[in-house]
């Protein structure tokens, strides 16, 4: 069983930055693709970013391209660096892990087997 714990959320002014972390309790972290999704009140969960197990492939949702950066370390943590935050980035952010999907599938919510509990990001206008 894989457990994912997000941290780093909070309240920030528009134009500011935050870095989210996702710590995975798994021995073979390097074999998991990692993704970030978000859900704003009254909206469906939305793809934000994903990174392949090797880190060689990254994907971004259109609304965050050029502002957010996904990365991972060699141990057990994935990161989401968020810059130039906008009011519309306000949401609960979830990280997810998957071991079987090819890199191209990491943008699909249904590809992921494991999810964190979410961390709130609130951007004030």
């Amino acid at each position: 069983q894989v457990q994912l714990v997000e941290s780093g959320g909070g309240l920030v002014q528009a134009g500011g930055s935050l870095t989210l972390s996702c710590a995975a309790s798994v021995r073979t972290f390097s074999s998991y693709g990692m993704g970030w999704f978000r859900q704003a009140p009254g909206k469906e969960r939305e793809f934000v970013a994903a990174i392949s197990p090797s880190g060689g492939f990254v994907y971004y949702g259109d609304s965050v391209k050029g502002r957010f950066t996904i990365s991972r370390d060699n141990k057990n943590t994935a990161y989401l660096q968020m810059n130039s935050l906008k009011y519309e980035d306000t949401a609960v952010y979830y990280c997810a892990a998957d071991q079987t999907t090819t890199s191209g599938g990491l943008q699909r919510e249904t590809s992921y087997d494991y999810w964190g509990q979410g961390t709130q990001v609130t951007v004030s206008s």
Side-chain angles (χ1 to χ4, degrees):
Q1 186 73 11
V2 176
Q3 290 187 328
L4 304 173
V5 179
E6 301 99 334
S7 61
L11 174 64
V12 64
Q13 288 188 333
S17 298
L18 278 177
T19 299
L20 305 183
S21 300
C22 174
S25 62
V26 60
R27 276 188 276 182
T28 56
F29 180 65
S30 61
S31 68
Y32 286 81
M34 301 296 295
W36 287 95
F37 292 77
R38 68 186 182 186
Q39 188 166 22
K43 295 187 177 180
E44 293 185 353
R45 193 146 56 182
E46 173 191 19
F47 170 71
V48 175
I51 188 167
S52 62
S54 68
F57 295 94
V58 293
Y59 307 90
Y60 295 97
D62 289 341
S63 60
V64 306
K65 281 180 182 176
R67 299 188 298 121
F68 290 11
T69 303
I70 189 171
S71 62
R72 62 189 299 158
D73 63 21
N74 294 327
K75 295 182 179 178
N76 69 337
T77 303
Y79 303 93
L80 185 68
Q81 172 69 41
M82 305 185 294
N83 298 326
S84 302
L85 283 162
K86 304 176 182 180
Y87 174 76
E88 50 265 40
D89 293 320
T90 296
V92 177
Y93 283 71
Y94 299 90
C95 74
D98 175 74
Q99 197 175 23
T100 60
T101 303
T102 57
S103 294
L106 291 175
Q107 300 173 73
R108 292 193 297 268
E109 182 178 346
T110 54
S111 296
Y112 292 88
D113 295 321
Y114 305 102
W115 292 83
Q117 82 288 351
T119 185
Q120 176 71 46
V121 172
T122 302
V123 183
S124 62
S125 59

